[in-house]
Amino acid sequence: MRPFSYERAHDLASAIRAASHQADAPLHAPIQFLAGGTTLLDLMKIDVMRPDRVIDINPLEKTFSEITVTPMGLRLGALARMSAVAHHPAVEREYPVVSQALKLGASAQLRNMASLGGNVLQRTRCSYFRDTSWHECNKRDPGSGCAALQGLNRKHAILGTSEHCIATYPGDFAQALIALDAAVEIAGAKGNREVPFRTLHKLPGDTPHIETSLATGEIIVSFHIPAGAYARRSLYLKVRDRESYEFASASAAVALDLADGVVREARIALGGVATIPWRAVEAEDVLKGTMLDEVRARVAAEAAFAGARTFGGNDFKPELGRRTLVRALLEAAALEIR
Amino acid sequence: MSVQIKANGDMIGRAVPRIDGRLKVTGAACYPSDVVLDDTAHAFLVMSTIARGRISALDLTEAQAVDGVIDILTYENTKGKVHKVRFFALGGYTSTSIVPLDTRKIWHDGQIIAMVVAETFEAAREAAYMIRVDYMERRAVSGLDGRKPQPRAAAGFLSSEPGVGDPETAYQEADVKIDAYYSTPAQHHNAIELYATTCAWSGDQLTVYESSQYVYGLKNGVAKQLGIRPERVRAVSPFVGGAFGSKAAITPRTALVAIAAKRLGRPVKLVATRQQGFTVSSYRAETQHHIKLGADRSGRLTSLSHEGWEISSRADDYKVAGTDTTSLLYACPNVATHVNIVHADRSTPGFMRSPAEVPYMFALESAMDELAVKLRMDPVELRRLNDTQIDPINQKPFSSRSLIACYDRAAAAFGWAKRNPEPGSMQDRDWLIGWGCATACYPTNIGPAEVRVTLAPNGKARVRTAGHDLGTGAYTAIALTAAEFLGIPLEDVNVELGDSSLPPAPVAGGSNATASICNAVAHACEDIRERLARAASHEGALRGVDPAVIRLREGMLVGADKSEPLKSALLRIGFGPVEGHAKYTPEVASVPIKLLGHTLLSKGIPVLTVGTSAGNHVQYAFGAEFVEVRVHKRTREIRVPRLVGAFAAGRIVSPITARSQLLGALIWGVASALHEETEIDERVARYVNKDLADYMIPVSADIRDVEVILVPEEDNKVNALGIKGVGELGNVGTNAAIANAVYHATGRRIRNLPIRMEDLL
């Protein structure tokens, strides 16, 4: 960790003002916002992030942590803690995929600290990114190369990769958001804007160090999940090497609107396998208007992973991902909805 | 000493909670890493980021400019300051033959190349990040799979390459054959207490506060490294936050901290980070195995060959050579073994809980299960058929061996009889169920130990010896033993351990501590009893009673239906406490150990009698482990909802802490089968998963029912108290039991650990 100055934000506007006008992409900027701290402090201790100034936005928690459930949908303040949302009775009942994705993330201690806004911005677990003694990492040091391409890449992505980066997006909650067509409200120097959540994360392409469409000084203030007939028949399936405190080897967020076994609408997102929160539109299209059974689920899963590319250590992931999606679809179809 | 020692069993074997438990849960126990002395400066290590080559330049300019930096040790100012001391496996002290900060040469990834000392930990760390290092890098070889390094015949540490008969012919003629390769990965101890050291000089007197399994080794070894007399060094380690073999030999950090403290004239404290810990101390190196089994149609073994390959560093010939154990496990008339060391650009491996048995028994016990499948025989019955009370190599009897009793007890508790042997035949909704079992065993090791016991007229006793409690329950076992032989309540016994100013005790390794130290305690108590009894037989209530029949019981001297309070008996032979002193040498020790054991012990050199060197018999503890695994039908996650282990290890001194050890060992066994693996980037021979998020161990949610059964066993041959030791018994075989259960669940035989879901897709 390097020396840095710490200040507490008293209002949103001044926090944004302080952090605007930085040249670097937000995740490398010398001024960083601190919410739960579960990613930022970690990365500062291991010298991956080296901000000069840390602005603690937790004093704003009261204003930005509301959980509101209306017939129109679900609004979640960005400073709400993971645990608060995960165990909110209406969220558990009306949006099971949201609650489950949050409950299956991290550990109880981390969930009590981590904010929703920070959660969707959490950074990859790629070992080569997290250890500065590896010189090659385009995400950490643009243009330096990617050690994972030829290195140990069991945990790495198979969807949305580029020749510059194959780091996996590690989160769970974002899969629920993207499956349910959530919007994200962002505050910045020029006021607030609301954009589809799917536009927040950016594919690595040849700029893997630019991970989101956030401009410098911008802060996520809330998420809005529209109501949908599929939301109650939803689940998050996380397949991993141990029972808890472990990132997904493959995961699936699935929401289904079924009528007599026929799919009126399906929403599918995949985790643990892609560089960004991954919406599997091709799989959704395969299912629409069909009877959901084992064979159809398998066809959808094939479609979801048609574009997968593997790198040695993760050669098993397309098959694991397909099986995960098939299992999630069949389990969602079998749910009893009251 | 040929004193007859017989425990009444009043205290030994009593189920009492850990006596230091309250200190630990309240934070009152002061671990070496908790030590903060006045005016301490803080150190931070800088490690090499290449595995092979030389440092061409070190630029300290920016680091030295960091506010608070006091000193930076590098080869430039430290060369020649640390004397080369022999590798511990060759009868020396150090975990590696590589002398720290002695040259520009890089032997392995994560080698210490500098140590920054600053006013605060934070300043030292910041400066460490600012040191610029240029290397001349050479191509490194990581290990067994890397670039096919030449296997080389191993030099003889511990192993005798046991063999008997003509295994090749017997194999050719066998009715049923197994021929298979197995492998285990590199693993790191990852004790929760990090590698921490504080050194403080007072004049020419050095005190080292360091979490240690061997304070006498630390004291003597550091003295040799610094070129000073051992009397000038004191090593302090009253509590140890996990060790598992990683804190037995001296690591390169200690001498550097001592040198820094001397240079600065103030105490220096170092806490290596979790990541640095992966190369500061040792690890369990990866192994490969080739096993050939031959059997007749009834299942009787006719041929066993076990060849092993192990990684060591280029600096040292380290090997664990578990064929000493696998060759004598079952009745087989034809046995061949061989162990190879493969040298690579790695740090030197070392002891890690059941060093030899964990990898080697994985191979043998997997092969035994494969044989049972081929024979269409129950795996328990295969072990029963091939059980033996005679070591097949040397034809010596086992001092005691309750393997089959363990199988029967554990099988009954597990419900093994309900098992359908057909793979994939047992299911619970979407989960395939597999049941598997394997043998656990561990040699009964024991060494010389010296103990002083004082008994005061108020009935309070003090036991002093430089043993160690690694969380194992040593304090409790030792206190129970003293309470037993002094006839006083447990709470009146105070035990002092973990300080080299106490009488010497052996390394807390090889599961020898309870046997070695408790026997010594019994002798020291006997010394007290004898003196009190002799005096009492001349005057007072016990006058005329034969001293040999006088015992210490419930705060009294008793004999021939007469008794006398302890206080008057003690005051008869002095004014204050009476001290008993024992230099215990194991009854089974060889003549050289009987002659030289205590001299070597006081010099911090381990002298253990091991399972196969105990004179007229071989001595081992045994167990049987049964596991249930569940594998998801589609996604193939592997979970272990149930473990049952039955163990027979002679006299159990402290049943609660012994059970805890076995419980933890079974859980570790799950980790060794399914989770733990140090991942190595073979291109550059570097580790990549150096923290507890990425180096996987089970979390609480992974562990459900674990049952430990202690099977009674009496053994009067191993030592007077009949103690075998349990520390390393429980995690032997668990990995094989799980692999065997995975086979039963899925029909897939996985021979390379850890077993992951992709192996079953």
Side-chain angles (χ1 to χ4, degrees):
Chain A
M1 196 177 273
R2 315 270 174 137
F4 61 92
S5 71
Y6 168 87
E7 57 208 82
R8 290 168 72 78
H10 297 295
D11 60 82
L12 186 65
S14 61
I16 290 168
R17 212 163 33 243
S20 301
H21 315 296
Q22 304 186 73
D24 282 309
L27 293 171
H28 286 264
I31 303 173
Q32 292 288 334
F33 296 123
L34 173 75
T38 57
T39 291
L40 178 65
L41 293 183
D42 240 17
L43 292 174
M44 286 170 68
K45 284 182 197 165
I46 57 178
D47 210 29
V48 171
M49 292 182 78
R50 304 169 185 177
D52 297 331
R53 268 172 88 185
V54 170
I55 301 175
D56 184 347
I57 56 172
N58 285 296
L60 312 177
E61 181 172 353
K62 267 219 169 76
T63 321
F64 297 100
S65 63
E66 276 188 314
I67 303 167
T68 320
V69 188
T70 69
M72 300 294 293
L74 175 62
R75 189 169 282 278
L76 303 170
L79 279 175
R81 306 291 152 172
M82 288 172 74
S83 51
V85 180
H87 297 281
H88 190 285
V91 177
E92 285 179 318
R93 188 178 59 244
E94 305 293 333
Y95 301 88
V97 65
V98 171
S99 164
Q100 290 166 15
L102 288 166
K103 284 177 185 169
L104 293 171
S107 65
Q109 294 90 332
L110 289 167
R111 292 193 294 271
N112 286 337
M113 284 299 290
S115 70
L116 294 189
N119 176 284
V120 300
L121 297 178
Q122 68 183 300
R123 308 197 67 184
T124 185
R125 298 295 307 185
C126 174
S127 304
Y128 300 105
F129 166 74
R130 288 173 58 86
D131 181 345
T132 58
S133 71
W134 295 92
H135 298 303
E136 293 183 319
C137 178
N138 288 324
K139 198 180 269 299
R140 186 162 32 78
D141 185 9
S144 61
C146 172
L149 275 172
Q150 311 284 328
L152 290 169
N153 49 38
R154 176 177 185 265
K155 293 174 178 171
H156 286 72
I158 54 172
L159 293 169
T161 59
S162 77
E163 62 192 278
H164 303 286
C165 185
I166 59 171
T168 306
Y169 173 76
D172 298 300
F173 174 53
Q175 270 70 254
L177 291 175
I178 205 166
L180 298 182
D181 272 331
V184 55
E185 184 189 359
I186 296 164
K190 294 171 195 153
N192 287 20
R193 63 190 178 104
E194 186 165 301
V195 298
F197 180 76
R198 66 169 188 278
T199 64
L200 181 66
H201 290 86
K202 302 186 79 160
L203 283 167
D206 54 10
T207 54
H209 61 292
I210 300 172
E211 295 180 349
T212 72
S213 57
L214 288 176
T216 52
E218 285 192 320
I219 295 182
I220 297 175
V221 291
S222 72
F223 301 95
H224 179 233
I225 300 170
Y230 42 75
R232 289 187 79 175
R233 185 181 290 285
S234 70
L235 60 77
Y236 189 71
L237 174 65
K238 186 172 182 180
V239 173
R240 46 184 165 173
D241 289 319
R242 62 182 165 193
E243 194 63 20
S244 181
Y245 185 59
E246 177 63 13
F247 295 91
S249 292
S251 71
V254 164
L256 297 174
D257 180 12
L258 289 185
D260 301 326
V262 175
V263 179
R264 277 207 287 242
E265 210 165 345
R267 301 302 184 83
I268 299 170
L270 304 172
V273 290
T275 53
I276 55 172
W278 193 263
R279 180 83 177 261
V281 185
E282 303 82 354
E284 295 174 5
D285 292 344
V286 165
L287 293 174
K288 197 163 184 173
T290 67
M291 288 289 289
L292 179 53
D293 59 11
E294 170 106 34
V295 174
R296 206 65 205 164
R298 184 77 199 178
V299 175
E302 296 287 349
F305 287 90
R309 196 178 154 213
T310 65
F311 302 91
N314 61 6
D315 287 351
F316 68 100
K317 274 197 166 180
E319 180 57 16
L320 182 70
R322 284 189 288 265
R323 290 184 184 210
T324 302
L325 179 52
V326 169
R327 179 178 160 193
L329 286 169
L330 296 178
E331 286 182 6
L335 286 175
E336 280 182 30
I337 308 295
R338 275 170 296 148
Chain B
M1 202 182 292
S2 62
V3 186
Q4 199 56 35
I5 288 189
K6 203 163 162 33
N8 296 315
D10 292 348
M11 298 302 293
I12 286 186
R14 185 178 285 198
V16 297
R18 187 184 298 271
I19 61 171
D20 47 334
R22 179 178 291 272
L23 288 178
K24 287 182 170 174
V25 298
T26 56
C30 186
Y31 290 80
S33 20
D34 297 332
V35 169
V36 182
L37 304 174
D38 286 345
D39 196 32
T40 294
H42 296 267
F44 197 90
L45 297 174
V46 181
M47 322 292 272
S48 70
T49 58
I50 65 163
R52 188 178 179 207
R54 292 173 68 77
I55 298 169
S56 49
L58 266 177
D59 181 354
L60 309 181
T61 323
E62 277 185 87
Q64 277 161 337
V66 170
D67 202 19
V69 168
I70 309 165
D71 197 2
I72 302 177
L73 269 60
T74 68
Y75 65 86
E76 283 166 349
N77 55 22
T78 310
K79 182 179 167 54
K81 298 277 189 341
V82 182
H83 299 236
K84 184 163 179 152
V85 170
R86 190 184 291 177
F87 180 47
F88 81 98
L90 299 175
Y93 301 95
T94 56
S95 65
T96 171
S97 295
I98 300 162
V99 178
L101 301 186
D102 202 48
T103 67
R104 294 166 173 264
K105 182 169 176 174
I106 302 298
W107 296 78
H108 62 83
D109 174 36
Q111 181 178 321
I112 298 170
I113 55 171
M115 190 176 81
V116 181
V117 187
E119 294 294 341
T120 63
F121 170 79
E122 288 76 13
R125 177 172 61 180
E126 184 193 350
Y129 287 152
M130 295 192 170
I131 291 179
R132 292 177 198 284
V133 190
D134 290 326
Y135 298 102
M136 307 239 298
E137 189 173 359
R138 295 182 63 193
R139 191 165 166 168
V141 173
S142 68
L144 296 168
D145 294 324
R147 293 168 185 92
K148 296 201 172 43
Q150 255 340 84
R152 178 175 119 189
F157 163 54
L158 286 181
S159 170
S160 50
E161 306 242 316
V164 67
D166 179 0
E168 196 45 48
T169 307
Y171 181 79
Q172 295 307 330
E173 292 169 357
D175 297 331
V176 183
K177 299 174 189 183
I178 297 293
D179 182 339
Y181 286 82
Y182 304 86
S183 73
T184 62
Q187 298 178 337
H188 278 77
H189 314 78
N190 276 311
I192 289 301
E193 188 184 18
L194 298 167
Y195 298 113
T197 301
T198 296
C199 285
W201 291 86
S202 171
D204 59 3
Q205 206 64 35
L206 169 67
T207 306
V208 181
Y209 302 88
E210 178 173 308
S211 189
S212 171
Q213 290 172 258
Y214 198 21
V215 287
Y216 262 75
L218 187 55
K219 161 189 156 144
N220 283 279
V222 166
K224 272 200 156 47
Q225 285 182 312
L226 299 178
I228 58 177
R229 292 207 317 277
E231 303 83 75
R232 297 227 190 121
V233 183
R234 179 182 167 209
V236 183
S237 180
F239 297 98
V240 180
F244 317 114
S246 67
K247 296 169 181 173
I250 316 175
T251 67
R253 73 187 194 272
T254 311
L256 299 180
V257 179
I259 287 169
K262 187 87 183 173
R263 277 164 69 102
L264 302 185
R266 59 194 277 199
V268 172
K269 177 171 186 172
L270 168 75
V271 182
T273 65
R274 173 68 57 195
Q275 286 79 3
Q276 293 170 345
F278 274 69
T279 49
V280 163
S281 185
S282 65
Y283 59 103
R284 191 197 298 284
E286 52 270 46
T287 65
Q288 284 180 1
H289 306 264
H290 182 204
I291 296 231
K292 284 162 74 180
L293 295 179
D296 65 21
R297 267 187 200 87
S298 75
R300 258 177 234 287
L301 286 170
T302 55
S303 175
L304 161 66
S305 313
H306 191 167
E307 180 166 14
W309 289 263
E310 303 182 22
I311 288 287
S312 191
S313 64
R314 296 211 187 274
D316 294 296
D317 278 336
Y318 177 82
K319 65 172 174 168
V320 298
T323 45
D324 279 8
T325 292
T326 55
S327 61
L328 55 68
L329 195 58
Y330 297 115
C332 182
N334 303 293
V335 178
T337 63
H338 186 61
V339 174
N340 310 279
I341 294 180
V342 179
H343 292 270
D345 298 302
R346 301 273 296 279
S347 57
T348 303
F351 292 147
M352 182 161 155
R353 200 173 187 178
S354 337
E357 286 71 20
V358 161
Y360 279 76
M361 286 288 283
F362 167 68
L364 178 61
E365 289 298 287
S366 294
M368 286 295 280
D369 197 71
E370 296 200 46
L371 180 62
V373 169
K374 223 169 188 180
L375 287 159
R376 303 191 71 81
M377 192 172 181
D378 185 287
V380 176
E381 294 313 307
L382 181 65
R383 267 80 170 197
R384 191 189 309 279
L385 185 70
N386 287 290
D387 189 38
T388 177
Q389 294 295 328
I390 309 283
D391 157 16
I393 305 295
N394 301 303
Q395 300 298 318
K396 288 190 210 167
F398 284 91
S399 63
S400 62
R401 169 166 162 140
S402 310
L403 175 62
I404 299 306
C406 290
Y407 264 107
D408 289 340
R409 287 285 304 274
F414 187 82
W416 184 254
K418 288 184 287 229
R419 177 178 185 258
N420 179 342
E422 202 54 44
S425 62
M426 294 168 66
Q427 291 192 23
D428 178 9
R429 284 162 298 173
D430 288 338
W431 293 84
L432 304 168
I433 295 175
W435 288 1
C437 64
T439 297
C441 67
Y442 195 78
T444 299
N445 305 322
I446 189 165
E450 187 176 336
V451 168
R452 289 185 188 274
V453 176
T454 54
L455 183 60
N458 62 3
K460 306 253 187 209
R462 198 170 158 208
V463 183
R464 299 164 71 235
T465 183
H468 315 79
D469 191 324
L470 316 176
T472 48
Y475 278 110
T476 309
I478 291 167
L480 282 166
T481 307
E484 163 96 26
F485 286 99
L486 296 175
I488 58 175
L490 184 65
E491 54 271 24
D492 286 346
V493 181
N494 182 47
V495 181
E496 293 167 43
L497 303 176
D499 188 327
S500 68
S501 59
L502 299 168
V507 59
S511 303
N512 85 90
T514 308
S516 309
I517 295 173
C518 290
N519 275 289
V521 169
H523 280 283
C525 295
E526 170 60 19
D527 185 18
I528 293 175
R529 185 206 67 80
E530 200 188 19
R531 283 153 62 193
L532 293 176
R534 217 183 308 123
S537 68
H538 291 301
E539 62 170 55
L542 293 167
R543 184 179 172 157
V545 177
D546 176 6
V549 306
I550 296 176
R551 292 273 169 274
L552 301 175
R553 278 283 185 75
E554 293 169 20
M556 313 276 277
L557 253 66
V558 298
D561 297 328
K562 295 173 188 164
S563 65
E564 177 184 18
L566 204 51
K567 190 172 180 177
S568 63
L570 277 162
L571 292 175
R572 181 175 297 120
I573 59 170
F575 289 106
V578 57
E579 182 177 90
H581 177 221
K583 282 184 161 185
Y584 168 72
T585 304
E587 298 84 339
V588 295
S590 63
V591 172
I593 291 181
K594 284 191 167 129
L595 291 174
L596 295 172
H598 281 277
T599 308
L600 294 170
L601 180 70
S602 67
K603 291 183 174 168
I605 295 170
V607 266
L608 293 183
T609 299
V610 300
T612 50
S613 67
N616 299 324
H617 60 259
V618 289
Q619 45 189 41
Y620 270 78
F622 289 90
E625 300 184 1
F626 289 74
V627 304
E628 174 176 319
V629 306
R630 290 183 171 228
V631 178
H632 195 273
K633 239 170 37 182
R634 293 182 192 279
T635 41
R636 300 281 158 163
E637 303 106 298
I638 311 160
R639 301 290 185 257
V640 183
R642 211 151 65 89
L643 296 144
V644 177
F647 305 95
R651 184 194 294 276
I652 302 299
V653 178
S654 171
I656 289 183
T657 55
R659 176 182 171 276
S660 292
Q661 287 231 70
L662 291 163
L663 205 68
L666 285 164
I667 293 166
W668 194 338
V670 175
S672 130
L674 301 179
H675 301 109
E676 285 184 73
E677 177 179 22
T678 306
E679 293 162 12
I680 304 160
D681 190 323
E682 288 179 356
R683 299 172 300 174
V684 287
R686 301 190 61 203
Y687 299 143
V688 301
N689 60 336
K690 297 184 291 183
D691 62 43
L692 286 179
D694 291 332
Y695 182 91
M696 266 201 303
I697 55 169
V699 295
S700 296
D702 288 295
I703 303 301
R704 304 291 166 95
D705 291 347
V706 187
E707 185 178 352
V708 171
I709 299 165
L710 295 170
V711 176
E713 183 182 67
E714 240 181 78
D715 187 329
N716 55 23
K717 297 199 185 78
V718 283
N719 50 68
L721 291 180
I723 297 166
K724 283 184 169 177
V726 296
E728 291 165 273
L729 175 60
N731 60 321
V732 177
T734 327
N735 46 14
I738 288 171
N740 298 342
V742 165
Y743 171 80
H744 181 232
T746 64
R748 301 278 275 275
R749 178 66 64 182
I750 309 302
R751 301 185 180 91
N752 307 307
L753 297 182
I755 305 172
R756 294 270 159 85
M757 56 184 107
E758 57 261 40
D759 297 319
L760 306 174
L761 283 175

